[in-house]
PDB file of all heavy atoms in Angstrom:
ATOM      1  N   VAL B 939       0.891  -1.762   4.811  1.00  0.00           N
ATOM      2  CA  VAL B 939      -0.486  -2.230   4.677  1.00  0.00           C
ATOM      3  C   VAL B 939      -0.626  -2.910   3.325  1.00  0.00           C
ATOM      4  O   VAL B 939      -0.283  -2.346   2.288  1.00  0.00           O
ATOM      5  CB  VAL B 939      -1.471  -1.050   4.790  1.00  0.00           C
ATOM      6  CG1 VAL B 939      -2.887  -1.494   4.427  1.00  0.00           C
ATOM      7  CG2 VAL B 939      -1.434  -0.469   6.197  1.00  0.00           C
ATOM      8  N   GLY B 940      -1.133  -4.153   3.347  1.00  0.00           N
ATOM      9  CA  GLY B 940      -1.308  -4.913   2.121  1.00  0.00           C
ATOM     10  C   GLY B 940      -2.766  -5.016   1.712  1.00  0.00           C
ATOM     11  O   GLY B 940      -3.452  -4.002   1.575  1.00  0.00           O
ATOM     12  N   SER B 941      -3.263  -6.234   1.570  1.00  0.00           N
ATOM     13  CA  SER B 941      -4.619  -6.455   1.052  1.00  0.00           C
ATOM     14  C   SER B 941      -5.628  -6.683   2.169  1.00  0.00           C
ATOM     15  O   SER B 941      -5.285  -7.088   3.274  1.00  0.00           O
ATOM     16  CB  SER B 941      -4.620  -7.668   0.120  1.00  0.00           C
ATOM     17  OG  SER B 941      -4.168  -8.824   0.815  1.00  0.00           O
ATOM     18  N   SER B 942      -6.894  -6.404   1.846  1.00  0.00           N
ATOM     19  CA  SER B 942      -8.040  -6.744   2.700  1.00  0.00           C
ATOM     20  C   SER B 942      -7.947  -6.161   4.102  1.00  0.00           C
ATOM     21  O   SER B 942      -8.139  -6.859   5.101  1.00  0.00           O
ATOM     22  CB  SER B 942      -8.205  -8.273   2.787  1.00  0.00           C
ATOM     23  OG  SER B 942      -8.342  -8.838   1.508  1.00  0.00           O
ATOM     24  N   THR B 943      -7.670  -4.873   4.204  1.00  0.00           N
ATOM     25  CA  THR B 943      -7.595  -4.217   5.507  1.00  0.00           C
ATOM     26  C   THR B 943      -8.490  -2.987   5.546  1.00  0.00           C
ATOM     27  O   THR B 943      -8.778  -2.377   4.507  1.00  0.00           O
ATOM     28  CB  THR B 943      -6.161  -3.756   5.846  1.00  0.00           C
ATOM     29  OG1 THR B 943      -5.781  -2.725   4.940  1.00  0.00           O
ATOM     30  CG2 THR B 943      -5.176  -4.917   5.752  1.00  0.00           C
ATOM     31  N   PHE B 944      -8.898  -2.626   6.748  1.00  0.00           N
ATOM     32  CA  PHE B 944      -9.675  -1.405   6.942  1.00  0.00           C
ATOM     33  C   PHE B 944      -8.900  -0.197   6.462  1.00  0.00           C
ATOM     34  O   PHE B 944      -9.430   0.670   5.745  1.00  0.00           O
ATOM     35  CB  PHE B 944     -10.028  -1.262   8.422  1.00  0.00           C
ATOM     36  CG  PHE B 944     -10.661   0.048   8.787  1.00  0.00           C
ATOM     37  CD1 PHE B 944     -12.001   0.282   8.559  1.00  0.00           C
ATOM     38  CD2 PHE B 944      -9.896   1.060   9.347  1.00  0.00           C
ATOM     39  CE1 PHE B 944     -12.583   1.505   8.883  1.00  0.00           C
ATOM     40  CE2 PHE B 944     -10.467   2.280   9.678  1.00  0.00           C
ATOM     41  CZ  PHE B 944     -11.810   2.506   9.444  1.00  0.00           C
ATOM     42  N   THR B 945      -7.611  -0.126   6.827  1.00  0.00           N
ATOM     43  CA  THR B 945      -6.789   1.012   6.420  1.00  0.00           C
ATOM     44  C   THR B 945      -6.685   1.100   4.907  1.00  0.00           C
ATOM     45  O   THR B 945      -6.738   2.200   4.331  1.00  0.00           O
ATOM     46  CB  THR B 945      -5.387   0.905   7.036  1.00  0.00           C
ATOM     47  OG1 THR B 945      -5.504   0.931   8.460  1.00  0.00           O
ATOM     48  CG2 THR B 945      -4.495   2.044   6.581  1.00  0.00           C
ATOM     49  N   GLY B 946      -6.547  -0.028   4.243  1.00  0.00           N
ATOM     50  CA  GLY B 946      -6.501  -0.022   2.787  1.00  0.00           C
ATOM     51  C   GLY B 946      -7.772   0.537   2.182  1.00  0.00           C
ATOM     52  O   GLY B 946      -7.728   1.264   1.170  1.00  0.00           O
ATOM     53  N   ASP B 947      -8.919   0.230   2.785  1.00  0.00           N
ATOM     54  CA  ASP B 947     -10.182   0.756   2.277  1.00  0.00           C
ATOM     55  C   ASP B 947     -10.292   2.254   2.532  1.00  0.00           C
ATOM     56  O   ASP B 947     -10.812   3.003   1.691  1.00  0.00           O
ATOM     57  CB  ASP B 947     -11.360   0.018   2.916  1.00  0.00           C
ATOM     58  CG  ASP B 947     -12.679   0.313   2.218  1.00  0.00           C
ATOM     59  OD1 ASP B 947     -12.759   0.104   0.991  1.00  0.00           O
ATOM     60  OD2 ASP B 947     -13.628   0.767   2.890  1.00  0.00           O
ATOM     61  N   VAL B 948      -9.801   2.721   3.689  1.00  0.00           N
ATOM     62  CA  VAL B 948      -9.765   4.157   3.961  1.00  0.00           C
ATOM     63  C   VAL B 948      -8.961   4.863   2.879  1.00  0.00           C
ATOM     64  O   VAL B 948      -9.378   5.897   2.321  1.00  0.00           O
ATOM     65  CB  VAL B 948      -9.161   4.436   5.349  1.00  0.00           C
ATOM     66  CG1 VAL B 948      -8.831   5.922   5.509  1.00  0.00           C
ATOM     67  CG2 VAL B 948     -10.115   3.997   6.455  1.00  0.00           C
ATOM     68  N   VAL B 949      -7.783   4.324   2.566  1.00  0.00           N
ATOM     69  CA  VAL B 949      -6.922   4.907   1.539  1.00  0.00           C
ATOM     70  C   VAL B 949      -7.648   4.976   0.204  1.00  0.00           C
ATOM     71  O   VAL B 949      -7.619   6.009  -0.490  1.00  0.00           O
ATOM     72  CB  VAL B 949      -5.614   4.081   1.424  1.00  0.00           C
ATOM     73  CG1 VAL B 949      -4.855   4.447   0.157  1.00  0.00           C
ATOM     74  CG2 VAL B 949      -4.741   4.305   2.650  1.00  0.00           C
ATOM     75  N   ALA B 950      -8.317   3.897  -0.174  1.00  0.00           N
ATOM     76  CA  ALA B 950      -9.030   3.879  -1.453  1.00  0.00           C
ATOM     77  C   ALA B 950     -10.138   4.926  -1.479  1.00  0.00           C
ATOM     78  O   ALA B 950     -10.355   5.593  -2.497  1.00  0.00           O
ATOM     79  CB  ALA B 950      -9.603   2.487  -1.706  1.00  0.00           C
ATOM     80  N   ARG B 951     -10.849   5.090  -0.370  1.00  0.00           N
ATOM     81  CA  ARG B 951     -11.965   6.039  -0.319  1.00  0.00           C
ATOM     82  C   ARG B 951     -11.483   7.481  -0.254  1.00  0.00           C
ATOM     83  O   ARG B 951     -12.276   8.407  -0.484  1.00  0.00           O
ATOM     84  CB  ARG B 951     -12.886   5.704   0.863  1.00  0.00           C
ATOM     85  CG  ARG B 951     -13.635   4.409   0.642  1.00  0.00           C
ATOM     86  CD  ARG B 951     -14.460   3.918   1.803  1.00  0.00           C
ATOM     87  NE  ARG B 951     -15.017   2.637   1.464  1.00  0.00           N
ATOM     88  CZ  ARG B 951     -16.119   2.467   0.725  1.00  0.00           C
ATOM     89  NH1 ARG B 951     -16.792   3.518   0.292  1.00  0.00           N
ATOM     90  NH2 ARG B 951     -16.543   1.260   0.426  1.00  0.00           N
ATOM     91  N   LEU B 952     -10.208   7.676   0.034  1.00  0.00           N
ATOM     92  CA  LEU B 952      -9.618   9.008  -0.042  1.00  0.00           C
ATOM     93  C   LEU B 952      -9.188   9.353  -1.459  1.00  0.00           C
ATOM     94  O   LEU B 952      -8.767  10.475  -1.734  1.00  0.00           O
ATOM     95  CB  LEU B 952      -8.411   9.094   0.897  1.00  0.00           C
ATOM     96  CG  LEU B 952      -8.737   9.133   2.403  1.00  0.00           C
ATOM     97  CD1 LEU B 952      -7.476   8.886   3.226  1.00  0.00           C
ATOM     98  CD2 LEU B 952      -9.361  10.463   2.786  1.00  0.00           C
ATOM     99  N   GLY B 953      -9.292   8.384  -2.360  1.00  0.00           N
ATOM    100  CA  GLY B 953      -8.896   8.617  -3.747  1.00  0.00           C
ATOM    101  C   GLY B 953      -7.427   8.329  -4.006  1.00  0.00           C
ATOM    102  O   GLY B 953      -6.838   8.896  -4.941  1.00  0.00           O
ATOM    103  N   TRP B 954      -6.855   7.435  -3.213  1.00  0.00           N
ATOM    104  CA  TRP B 954      -5.456   7.062  -3.379  1.00  0.00           C
ATOM    105  C   TRP B 954      -5.363   5.572  -3.683  1.00  0.00           C
ATOM    106  O   TRP B 954      -6.212   4.785  -3.243  1.00  0.00           O
ATOM    107  CB  TRP B 954      -4.643   7.367  -2.117  1.00  0.00           C
ATOM    108  CG  TRP B 954      -4.795   8.766  -1.616  1.00  0.00           C
ATOM    109  CD1 TRP B 954      -5.108   9.885  -2.345  1.00  0.00           C
ATOM    110  CD2 TRP B 954      -4.672   9.220  -0.260  1.00  0.00           C
ATOM    111  NE1 TRP B 954      -5.169  10.993  -1.558  1.00  0.00           N
ATOM    112  CE2 TRP B 954      -4.901  10.620  -0.253  1.00  0.00           C
ATOM    113  CE3 TRP B 954      -4.375   8.585   0.931  1.00  0.00           C
ATOM    114  CZ2 TRP B 954      -4.849  11.384   0.898  1.00  0.00           C
ATOM    115  CZ3 TRP B 954      -4.311   9.338   2.098  1.00  0.00           C
ATOM    116  CH2 TRP B 954      -4.546  10.731   2.072  1.00  0.00           C
ATOM    117  N   ARG B 955      -4.313   5.196  -4.404  1.00  0.00           N
ATOM    118  CA  ARG B 955      -4.098   3.784  -4.721  1.00  0.00           C
ATOM    119  C   ARG B 955      -2.966   3.238  -3.868  1.00  0.00           C
ATOM    120  O   ARG B 955      -1.829   3.714  -3.958  1.00  0.00           O
ATOM    121  CB  ARG B 955      -3.766   3.577  -6.198  1.00  0.00           C
ATOM    122  CG  ARG B 955      -3.552   2.100  -6.559  1.00  0.00           C
ATOM    123  CD  ARG B 955      -3.245   1.891  -8.033  1.00  0.00           C
ATOM    124  NE  ARG B 955      -3.088   0.480  -8.327  1.00  0.00           N
ATOM    125  CZ  ARG B 955      -1.969  -0.207  -8.187  1.00  0.00           C
ATOM    126  NH1 ARG B 955      -0.879   0.411  -7.771  1.00  0.00           N
ATOM    127  NH2 ARG B 955      -1.927  -1.502  -8.467  1.00  0.00           N
ATOM    128  N   ASN B 956      -3.284   2.273  -3.029  1.00  0.00           N
ATOM    129  CA  ASN B 956      -2.265   1.582  -2.243  1.00  0.00           C
ATOM    130  C   ASN B 956      -1.501   0.641  -3.176  1.00  0.00           C
ATOM    131  O   ASN B 956      -2.066  -0.317  -3.711  1.00  0.00           O
ATOM    132  CB  ASN B 956      -2.928   0.798  -1.113  1.00  0.00           C
ATOM    133  CG  ASN B 956      -1.942  -0.051  -0.323  1.00  0.00           C
ATOM    134  OD1 ASN B 956      -0.733   0.124  -0.423  1.00  0.00           O
ATOM    135  ND2 ASN B 956      -2.466  -0.978   0.461  1.00  0.00           N
ATOM    136  N   VAL B 957      -0.226   0.896  -3.379  1.00  0.00           N
ATOM    137  CA  VAL B 957       0.545   0.110  -4.343  1.00  0.00           C
ATOM    138  C   VAL B 957       0.744  -1.332  -3.879  1.00  0.00           C
ATOM    139  O   VAL B 957       1.135  -2.193  -4.675  1.00  0.00           O
ATOM    140  CB  VAL B 957       1.909   0.764  -4.640  1.00  0.00           C
ATOM    141  CG1 VAL B 957       1.720   2.134  -5.269  1.00  0.00           C
ATOM    142  CG2 VAL B 957       2.761   0.849  -3.370  1.00  0.00           C
ATOM    143  N   PHE B 958       0.462  -1.607  -2.609  1.00  0.00           N
ATOM    144  CA  PHE B 958       0.584  -2.971  -2.102  1.00  0.00           C
ATOM    145  C   PHE B 958      -0.784  -3.621  -1.875  1.00  0.00           C
ATOM    146  O   PHE B 958      -0.882  -4.642  -1.192  1.00  0.00           O
ATOM    147  CB  PHE B 958       1.392  -2.980  -0.806  1.00  0.00           C
ATOM    148  CG  PHE B 958       2.827  -2.572  -0.990  1.00  0.00           C
ATOM    149  CD1 PHE B 958       3.244  -1.284  -0.657  1.00  0.00           C
ATOM    150  CD2 PHE B 958       3.758  -3.446  -1.509  1.00  0.00           C
ATOM    151  CE1 PHE B 958       4.564  -0.899  -0.822  1.00  0.00           C
ATOM    152  CE2 PHE B 958       5.082  -3.076  -1.695  1.00  0.00           C
ATOM    153  CZ  PHE B 958       5.488  -1.793  -1.364  1.00  0.00           C
ATOM    154  N   ALA B 959      -1.823  -3.055  -2.451  1.00  0.00           N
ATOM    155  CA  ALA B 959      -3.177  -3.551  -2.228  1.00  0.00           C
ATOM    156  C   ALA B 959      -3.388  -4.961  -2.748  1.00  0.00           C
ATOM    157  O   ALA B 959      -4.272  -5.681  -2.265  1.00  0.00           O
ATOM    158  CB  ALA B 959      -4.198  -2.608  -2.857  1.00  0.00           C
ATOM    159  N   GLU B 960      -2.601  -5.369  -3.734  1.00  0.00           N
ATOM    160  CA  GLU B 960      -2.754  -6.704  -4.301  1.00  0.00           C
ATOM    161  C   GLU B 960      -1.784  -7.713  -3.701  1.00  0.00           C
ATOM    162  O   GLU B 960      -1.733  -8.871  -4.142  1.00  0.00           O
ATOM    163  CB  GLU B 960      -2.558  -6.640  -5.825  1.00  0.00           C
ATOM    164  CG  GLU B 960      -3.470  -5.661  -6.539  1.00  0.00           C
ATOM    165  CD  GLU B 960      -4.934  -5.927  -6.262  1.00  0.00           C
ATOM    166  OE1 GLU B 960      -5.319  -7.121  -6.239  1.00  0.00           O
ATOM    167  OE2 GLU B 960      -5.692  -4.957  -6.046  1.00  0.00           O
ATOM    168  N   HIS B 961      -1.035  -7.293  -2.717  1.00  0.00           N
ATOM    169  CA  HIS B 961      -0.082  -8.213  -2.085  1.00  0.00           C
ATOM    170  C   HIS B 961      -0.839  -9.340  -1.386  1.00  0.00           C
ATOM    171  O   HIS B 961      -1.925  -9.139  -0.853  1.00  0.00           O
ATOM    172  CB  HIS B 961       0.780  -7.456  -1.078  1.00  0.00           C
ATOM    173  CG  HIS B 961       2.027  -8.179  -0.689  1.00  0.00           C
ATOM    174  ND1 HIS B 961       2.015  -9.255   0.178  1.00  0.00           N
ATOM    175  CD2 HIS B 961       3.332  -7.985  -1.041  1.00  0.00           C
ATOM    176  CE1 HIS B 961       3.257  -9.696   0.340  1.00  0.00           C
ATOM    177  NE2 HIS B 961       4.074  -8.939  -0.389  1.00  0.00           N
ATOM    178  N   ALA B 962      -0.263 -10.527  -1.395  1.00  0.00           N
ATOM    179  CA  ALA B 962      -0.932 -11.674  -0.772  1.00  0.00           C
ATOM    180  C   ALA B 962      -1.097 -11.496   0.735  1.00  0.00           C
ATOM    181  O   ALA B 962      -2.049 -12.027   1.333  1.00  0.00           O
ATOM    182  CB  ALA B 962      -0.146 -12.949  -1.059  1.00  0.00           C
ATOM    183  N   GLY B 963      -0.180 -10.758   1.359  1.00  0.00           N
ATOM    184  CA  GLY B 963      -0.253 -10.565   2.803  1.00  0.00           C
ATOM    185  C   GLY B 963      -1.015  -9.316   3.184  1.00  0.00           C
ATOM    186  O   GLY B 963      -1.089  -8.349   2.421  1.00  0.00           O
ATOM    187  N   ARG B 964      -1.565  -9.315   4.386  1.00  0.00           N
ATOM    188  CA  ARG B 964      -2.291  -8.139   4.871  1.00  0.00           C
ATOM    189  C   ARG B 964      -1.318  -7.079   5.370  1.00  0.00           C
ATOM    190  O   ARG B 964      -1.578  -5.884   5.219  1.00  0.00           O
ATOM    191  CB  ARG B 964      -3.269  -8.535   5.976  1.00  0.00           C
ATOM    192  CG  ARG B 964      -4.331  -9.541   5.522  1.00  0.00           C
ATOM    193  CD  ARG B 964      -5.345  -9.792   6.602  1.00  0.00           C
ATOM    194  NE  ARG B 964      -6.248  -8.684   6.747  1.00  0.00           N
ATOM    195  CZ  ARG B 964      -6.806  -8.309   7.891  1.00  0.00           C
ATOM    196  NH1 ARG B 964      -6.505  -8.936   9.010  1.00  0.00           N
ATOM    197  NH2 ARG B 964      -7.640  -7.287   7.929  1.00  0.00           N
ATOM    198  N   TYR B 965      -0.224  -7.501   5.983  1.00  0.00           N
ATOM    199  CA  TYR B 965       0.783  -6.564   6.498  1.00  0.00           C
ATOM    200  C   TYR B 965       2.173  -7.123   6.186  1.00  0.00           C
ATOM    201  O   TYR B 965       2.904  -7.545   7.086  1.00  0.00           O
ATOM    202  CB  TYR B 965       0.605  -6.357   8.013  1.00  0.00           C
ATOM    203  CG  TYR B 965      -0.761  -5.826   8.378  1.00  0.00           C
ATOM    204  CD1 TYR B 965      -1.723  -6.672   8.929  1.00  0.00           C
ATOM    205  CD2 TYR B 965      -1.105  -4.497   8.156  1.00  0.00           C
ATOM    206  CE1 TYR B 965      -2.984  -6.202   9.260  1.00  0.00           C
ATOM    207  CE2 TYR B 965      -2.364  -4.018   8.478  1.00  0.00           C
ATOM    208  CZ  TYR B 965      -3.298  -4.874   9.024  1.00  0.00           C
ATOM    209  OH  TYR B 965      -4.545  -4.406   9.345  1.00  0.00           O
ATOM    210  N   PRO B 966       2.545  -7.127   4.926  1.00  0.00           N
ATOM    211  CA  PRO B 966       3.804  -7.767   4.540  1.00  0.00           C
ATOM    212  C   PRO B 966       5.036  -6.938   4.909  1.00  0.00           C
ATOM    213  O   PRO B 966       4.991  -5.708   4.972  1.00  0.00           O
ATOM    214  CB  PRO B 966       3.673  -7.880   3.021  1.00  0.00           C
ATOM    215  CG  PRO B 966       2.788  -6.726   2.646  1.00  0.00           C
ATOM    216  CD  PRO B 966       1.790  -6.619   3.767  1.00  0.00           C
ATOM    217  N   ALA B 967       6.137  -7.645   5.129  1.00  0.00           N
ATOM    218  CA  ALA B 967       7.442  -7.014   5.266  1.00  0.00           C
ATOM    219  C   ALA B 967       8.023  -6.822   3.870  1.00  0.00           C
ATOM    220  O   ALA B 967       7.942  -7.727   3.031  1.00  0.00           O
ATOM    221  CB  ALA B 967       8.362  -7.885   6.115  1.00  0.00           C
ATOM    222  N   VAL B 968       8.577  -5.638   3.603  1.00  0.00           N
ATOM    223  CA  VAL B 968       9.129  -5.346   2.278  1.00  0.00           C
ATOM    224  C   VAL B 968      10.483  -4.664   2.428  1.00  0.00           C
ATOM    225  O   VAL B 968      10.721  -3.959   3.418  1.00  0.00           O
ATOM    226  CB  VAL B 968       8.186  -4.439   1.443  1.00  0.00           C
ATOM    227  CG1 VAL B 968       6.843  -5.114   1.207  1.00  0.00           C
ATOM    228  CG2 VAL B 968       7.980  -3.097   2.136  1.00  0.00           C
ATOM    229  N   PRO B 969      11.384  -4.855   1.478  1.00  0.00           N
ATOM    230  CA  PRO B 969      12.667  -4.134   1.520  1.00  0.00           C
ATOM    231  C   PRO B 969      12.414  -2.635   1.364  1.00  0.00           C
ATOM    232  O   PRO B 969      11.459  -2.212   0.712  1.00  0.00           O
ATOM    233  CB  PRO B 969      13.430  -4.702   0.322  1.00  0.00           C
ATOM    234  CG  PRO B 969      12.739  -5.967  -0.053  1.00  0.00           C
ATOM    235  CD  PRO B 969      11.301  -5.780   0.338  1.00  0.00           C
ATOM    236  N   LEU B 970      13.289  -1.830   1.941  1.00  0.00           N
ATOM    237  CA  LEU B 970      13.120  -0.382   1.867  1.00  0.00           C
ATOM    238  C   LEU B 970      13.091   0.110   0.426  1.00  0.00           C
ATOM    239  O   LEU B 970      12.335   1.045   0.108  1.00  0.00           O
ATOM    240  CB  LEU B 970      14.243   0.318   2.638  1.00  0.00           C
ATOM    241  CG  LEU B 970      14.213   1.852   2.625  1.00  0.00           C
ATOM    242  CD1 LEU B 970      12.901   2.385   3.187  1.00  0.00           C
ATOM    243  CD2 LEU B 970      15.403   2.407   3.396  1.00  0.00           C
ATOM    244  N   ASP B 971      13.863  -0.528  -0.463  1.00  0.00           N
ATOM    245  CA  ASP B 971      13.889  -0.024  -1.841  1.00  0.00           C
ATOM    246  C   ASP B 971      12.571  -0.265  -2.575  1.00  0.00           C
ATOM    247  O   ASP B 971      12.334   0.325  -3.625  1.00  0.00           O
ATOM    248  CB  ASP B 971      15.063  -0.616  -2.631  1.00  0.00           C
ATOM    249  CG  ASP B 971      15.035  -2.136  -2.706  1.00  0.00           C
ATOM    250  OD1 ASP B 971      14.030  -2.753  -2.301  1.00  0.00           O
ATOM    251  OD2 ASP B 971      16.050  -2.714  -3.172  1.00  0.00           O
ATOM    252  N   GLU B 972      11.685  -1.118  -2.025  1.00  0.00           N
ATOM    253  CA  GLU B 972      10.356  -1.266  -2.619  1.00  0.00           C
ATOM    254  C   GLU B 972       9.412  -0.157  -2.155  1.00  0.00           C
ATOM    255  O   GLU B 972       8.333   0.018  -2.723  1.00  0.00           O
ATOM    256  CB  GLU B 972       9.762  -2.633  -2.273  1.00  0.00           C
ATOM    257  CG  GLU B 972      10.437  -3.789  -2.975  1.00  0.00           C
ATOM    258  CD  GLU B 972       9.671  -5.087  -2.825  1.00  0.00           C
ATOM    259  OE1 GLU B 972       8.444  -5.031  -2.539  1.00  0.00           O
ATOM    260  OE2 GLU B 972      10.288  -6.149  -2.977  1.00  0.00           O
ATOM    261  N   LEU B 973       9.830   0.573  -1.134  1.00  0.00           N
ATOM    262  CA  LEU B 973       9.067   1.736  -0.664  1.00  0.00           C
ATOM    263  C   LEU B 973       9.637   3.033  -1.210  1.00  0.00           C
ATOM    264  O   LEU B 973       8.880   3.942  -1.573  1.00  0.00           O
ATOM    265  CB  LEU B 973       9.104   1.788   0.874  1.00  0.00           C
ATOM    266  CG  LEU B 973       8.154   0.894   1.653  1.00  0.00           C
ATOM    267  CD1 LEU B 973       8.449   1.000   3.135  1.00  0.00           C
ATOM    268  CD2 LEU B 973       6.721   1.282   1.384  1.00  0.00           C
ATOM    269  N   ASP B 974      10.946   3.111  -1.252  1.00  0.00           N
ATOM    270  CA  ASP B 974      11.625   4.333  -1.686  1.00  0.00           C
ATOM    271  C   ASP B 974      11.907   4.238  -3.183  1.00  0.00           C
ATOM    272  O   ASP B 974      13.012   3.910  -3.617  1.00  0.00           O
ATOM    273  CB  ASP B 974      12.927   4.489  -0.900  1.00  0.00           C
ATOM    274  CG  ASP B 974      13.557   5.868  -1.097  1.00  0.00           C
ATOM    275  OD1 ASP B 974      12.840   6.805  -1.499  1.00  0.00           O
ATOM    276  OD2 ASP B 974      14.767   5.992  -0.847  1.00  0.00           O
ATOM    277  N   ARG B 975      10.875   4.515  -3.980  1.00  0.00           N
ATOM    278  CA  ARG B 975      11.004   4.358  -5.430  1.00  0.00           C
ATOM    279  C   ARG B 975      10.191   5.429  -6.153  1.00  0.00           C
ATOM    280  O   ARG B 975       9.249   6.000  -5.587  1.00  0.00           O
ATOM    281  CB  ARG B 975      10.564   2.966  -5.857  1.00  0.00           C
ATOM    282  CG  ARG B 975       9.104   2.664  -5.645  1.00  0.00           C
ATOM    283  CD  ARG B 975       8.784   1.179  -5.822  1.00  0.00           C
ATOM    284  NE  ARG B 975       7.440   0.993  -6.350  1.00  0.00           N
ATOM    285  CZ  ARG B 975       6.644  -0.010  -6.013  1.00  0.00           C
ATOM    286  NH1 ARG B 975       7.056  -0.930  -5.154  1.00  0.00           N
ATOM    287  NH2 ARG B 975       5.437  -0.120  -6.554  1.00  0.00           N
ATOM    288  N   ASP B 976      10.545   5.666  -7.402  1.00  0.00           N
ATOM    289  CA  ASP B 976      10.004   6.804  -8.152  1.00  0.00           C
ATOM    290  C   ASP B 976       8.525   6.694  -8.477  1.00  0.00           C
ATOM    291  O   ASP B 976       7.862   7.718  -8.684  1.00  0.00           O
ATOM    292  CB  ASP B 976      10.798   6.993  -9.450  1.00  0.00           C
ATOM    293  CG  ASP B 976      12.229   7.438  -9.196  1.00  0.00           C
ATOM    294  OD1 ASP B 976      12.468   8.046  -8.130  1.00  0.00           O
ATOM    295  OD2 ASP B 976      13.102   7.166 -10.042  1.00  0.00           O
ATOM    296  N   ASP B 977       7.981   5.481  -8.572  1.00  0.00           N
ATOM    297  CA  ASP B 977       6.585   5.347  -8.994  1.00  0.00           C
ATOM    298  C   ASP B 977       5.597   5.407  -7.832  1.00  0.00           C
ATOM    299  O   ASP B 977       4.405   5.172  -8.009  1.00  0.00           O
ATOM    300  CB  ASP B 977       6.384   4.058  -9.798  1.00  0.00           C
ATOM    301  CG  ASP B 977       6.624   2.811  -8.959  1.00  0.00           C
ATOM    302  OD1 ASP B 977       7.382   2.894  -7.976  1.00  0.00           O
ATOM    303  OD2 ASP B 977       6.041   1.764  -9.291  1.00  0.00           O
ATOM    304  N   ILE B 978       6.063   5.743  -6.640  1.00  0.00           N
ATOM    305  CA  ILE B 978       5.186   5.988  -5.495  1.00  0.00           C
ATOM    306  C   ILE B 978       5.200   7.487  -5.215  1.00  0.00           C
ATOM    307  O   ILE B 978       6.265   8.086  -5.076  1.00  0.00           O
ATOM    308  CB  ILE B 978       5.642   5.197  -4.257  1.00  0.00           C
ATOM    309  CG1 ILE B 978       5.570   3.696  -4.521  1.00  0.00           C
ATOM    310  CG2 ILE B 978       4.786   5.562  -3.046  1.00  0.00           C
ATOM    311  CD1 ILE B 978       6.049   2.843  -3.355  1.00  0.00           C
ATOM    312  N   ASP B 979       4.019   8.086  -5.154  1.00  0.00           N
ATOM    313  CA  ASP B 979       3.945   9.532  -4.927  1.00  0.00           C
ATOM    314  C   ASP B 979       4.278   9.908  -3.489  1.00  0.00           C
ATOM    315  O   ASP B 979       4.931  10.932  -3.235  1.00  0.00           O
ATOM    316  CB  ASP B 979       2.539  10.045  -5.276  1.00  0.00           C
ATOM    317  CG  ASP B 979       2.220   9.887  -6.754  1.00  0.00           C
ATOM    318  OD1 ASP B 979       3.054  10.295  -7.579  1.00  0.00           O
ATOM    319  OD2 ASP B 979       1.139   9.351  -7.063  1.00  0.00           O
ATOM    320  N   VAL B 980       3.812   9.117  -2.526  1.00  0.00           N
ATOM    321  CA  VAL B 980       4.039   9.462  -1.124  1.00  0.00           C
ATOM    322  C   VAL B 980       3.918   8.205  -0.262  1.00  0.00           C
ATOM    323  O   VAL B 980       3.071   7.343  -0.525  1.00  0.00           O
ATOM    324  CB  VAL B 980       3.042  10.557  -0.647  1.00  0.00           C
ATOM    325  CG1 VAL B 980       1.611  10.107  -0.803  1.00  0.00           C
ATOM    326  CG2 VAL B 980       3.321  10.964   0.793  1.00  0.00           C
TER     327      VAL B 980
END
């Protein structure tokens, strides 16, 4: 989930920061190592 989505807003209202919220795409494809990294909590 990237920018400007309903799901992204749900995440924000739960008190979580979507690390891809500023991505240009709404549902971008990303390499696995951009997901499996130390600075993402879950």
Side-chain angles (χ1 to χ4, degrees):
V939 171
S941 58
S942 303
T943 66
F944 172 80
T945 298
D947 192 55
V948 167
V949 166
R951 291 174 184 279
L952 288 167
W954 308 333
R955 180 179 182 274
N956 175 15
V957 298
F958 294 101
E960 304 304 319
H961 197 285
R964 299 186 74 212
Y965 302 104
V968 298
L970 179 58
D971 59 9
E972 289 191 22
L973 280 174
D974 191 21
R975 65 192 212 215
D976 293 334
D977 65 334
I978 297 178
D979 295 311
V980 59

